[in-house]
């Protein structure tokens, strides 16, 4: 009986020791950081991974993420400097860099997200409102986001929060405005296309006129050269015939008369008189 009592007492002691150890220790993972609270007061902050101690049943351990966290902010309507309403969809990358300050000011991550939402949206609204719609969509956007990140970080630093980056997932016009803008852009593009076509047509007519002018000049010069060559050739023929005629006038006279009769005999019969010049030559030759 005594032996059983001793075993029970030993078991209870072991159980109490196990409970004491279990409630005295807590583990902080590599991606975590912890704050030990006692009656709402901060007793210890643990930022390194490992096993730590706390007062059992009295201290409370609150753990936070040490890694970067993503907060997706709801899309908001913002009016730009040129009075256009746009929908800006942003997200924020942040982390808790001072757990002591964070728990003193925010107490929880949910409350911190609400504050991040307010601060980032306020800065997005203020900065985007200073630029035109086209500037927000252009390379200027990187400059705007950099300034939003800087301002949001300064605003939230006092709460132990570090804003690493603020990005824009999407920038759109509201559906009703988007349609009207689309129609206006189409009209502008059609107008530009018509202007370009008109300029092209005008350039085409100028080029054609220049080409026609050059063609006329070339043809005129070619005709002029041809006339010169033809005149020179005719002069040469006349000269050659004159020289040949001077060398033997009777032969050429016979040739001329023969050509006349040849053309006359071509389509019918010709009756010659005895004193015909051609017969004269034939008689003389005989």
């Amino acid at each position: 009986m005594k032996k059983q009592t001793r075993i029970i007492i030993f078991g209870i002691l072991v159980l109490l020791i196990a409970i004491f150890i279990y409630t005295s220790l807590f583990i902080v993972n590599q991606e975590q950081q912890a704050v030990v609270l006692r009656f709402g007061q901060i007793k210890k902050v643990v930022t390194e991974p490992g096993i730590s101690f706390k007062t059992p049943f009295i201290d409370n351990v609150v753990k936070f993420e040490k890694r970067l966290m993503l907060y997706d902010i709801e899309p908001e309507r913002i009016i730009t400097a040129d009075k256009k309403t746009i929908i800006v969809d942003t997200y924020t990358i942040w982390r808790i860099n001072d757990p002591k300050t964070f728990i003193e000011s925010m107490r929880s991550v949910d409350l911190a997200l609400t504050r991040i939402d307010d601060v980032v949206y306020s800065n997005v609204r203020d900065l985007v409102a200073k630029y035109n719609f086209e500037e927000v969509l252009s390379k200027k956007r990187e400059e705007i986001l950099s300034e939003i990140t800087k301002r949001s970080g300064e605003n939230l630093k006092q709460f132990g929060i570090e804003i690493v980056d603020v990005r824009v997932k999407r920038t759109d016009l509201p559906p009703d405005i988007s349609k009207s803008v689309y129609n206006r852009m189409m009209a502008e593009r059609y107008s530009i296309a018509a202007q370009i076509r008109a300029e092209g047509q005008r350039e085409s007519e100028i080029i054609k006129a220049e080409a026609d002018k050059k063609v006329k000049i070339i043809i005129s010069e070619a005709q002029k050269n041809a006339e010169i060559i033809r005149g020179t050739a005719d002069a040469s023929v006349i000269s050659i015939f004159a020289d040949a005629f001077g060398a033997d006038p009777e032969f050429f006279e016979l040739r001329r008369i023969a050509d006349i009769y040849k053309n006359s005999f071509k389509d019918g019969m010709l009756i010659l008189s005895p004193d015909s010049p051609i017969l004269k030559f034939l008689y003389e030759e005989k």
Side-chain angles (χ1 to χ4, degrees), residues 17-261:
I17 291 171
I19 293 173
F20 179 80
I21 293 173
Y22 178 77
T23 55
S24 299
L25 300 176
F26 63 95
I27 299 174
V28 178
N29 296 328
Q30 193 169 7
E31 67 274 10
Q32 291 178 327
Q33 50 192 346
V35 178
V36 179
L37 300 173
R38 182 179 300 167
F39 306 117
Q41 300 295 319
I42 298 174
K43 303 304 294 182
K44 183 169 61 175
V45 175
V46 180
T47 58
E48 297 299 327
I51 299 175
S52 298
F53 295 93
K54 66 183 183 65
T55 303
F57 309 111
I58 296 177
D59 291 346
N60 181 35
V61 178
V62 180
K63 297 178 181 177
F64 299 109
E65 276 282 349
K66 190 191 290 184
R67 298 175 295 183
L68 294 176
M69 291 175 280
L70 175 68
Y71 176 54
D72 194 356
I73 301 174
E74 287 293 323
E76 297 286 352
R77 284 176 174 255
I78 297 174
I79 300 175
T80 60
D82 52 350
K83 307 303 179 187
K84 286 186 173 62
T85 300
I86 61 174
I87 298 176
V88 181
D89 190 357
T90 58
Y91 65 90
T92 301
I93 300 174
W94 69 286
R95 64 183 168 199
I96 301 169
N97 66 341
D98 187 348
K100 180 175 181 294
T101 304
F102 181 81
I103 200 165
E104 287 176 344
S105 56
M106 294 287 102
R107 309 301 298 180
S108 68
V109 172
D110 290 338
L111 184 59
L113 293 179
T114 303
R115 182 59 58 89
I116 291 173
D117 193 302
D118 293 340
V119 170
V120 173
Y121 170 67
S122 176
N123 289 322
V124 170
R125 182 191 57 203
D126 291 344
L127 281 170
V128 171
K130 294 180 180 178
Y131 296 91
N132 296 329
F133 176 66
E134 292 184 359
E135 291 176 328
V136 174
L137 296 181
S138 68
K139 294 182 179 178
K140 196 78 176 177
R141 185 171 65 174
E142 290 297 324
E143 182 180 331
I144 296 172
L145 291 175
S146 177
E147 183 63 22
I148 292 172
T149 303
K150 179 182 176 183
R151 289 191 183 187
S152 301
E154 292 173 351
N155 297 144
L156 293 167
K157 184 178 179 180
Q158 58 183 318
F159 304 113
I161 295 172
E162 178 186 359
I163 299 298
V164 177
D165 200 4
V166 177
R167 295 278 99 186
V168 173
K169 291 191 296 184
R170 186 167 55 94
T171 303
D172 286 334
L173 292 169
D176 51 338
I177 298 176
S178 179
K179 185 176 181 180
S180 63
V181 171
Y182 176 74
N183 292 335
R184 181 174 58 80
M185 291 176 67
M186 281 191 61
E188 291 177 354
R189 296 298 183 272
Y190 279 128
S191 176
I192 294 172
Q195 183 179 356
I196 293 173
R197 281 197 293 269
E199 292 177 355
Q201 183 65 28
R202 186 167 58 252
E203 291 291 332
S204 172
E205 291 175 355
I206 292 173
I207 293 172
K208 286 181 179 178
E210 290 291 333
D212 292 341
K213 182 180 177 181
K214 291 181 179 178
V215 168
K216 289 180 180 178
I217 292 173
I218 293 171
I219 292 175
S220 176
E221 291 180 351
Q223 289 176 342
K224 179 182 176 181
N225 294 331
E227 291 296 333
I228 293 172
I229 294 171
R230 189 179 296 113
T232 304
D234 291 343
S236 298
V237 169
I238 293 171
S239 177
I240 292 170
F241 270 101
D243 293 343
F245 182 78
D248 192 351
E250 291 182 354
F251 172 76
F252 279 95
E253 181 65 18
L254 175 62
R255 177 65 180 271
R256 186 181 65 80
I257 293 171
D259 289 340
I260 292 171
Y261 284 112

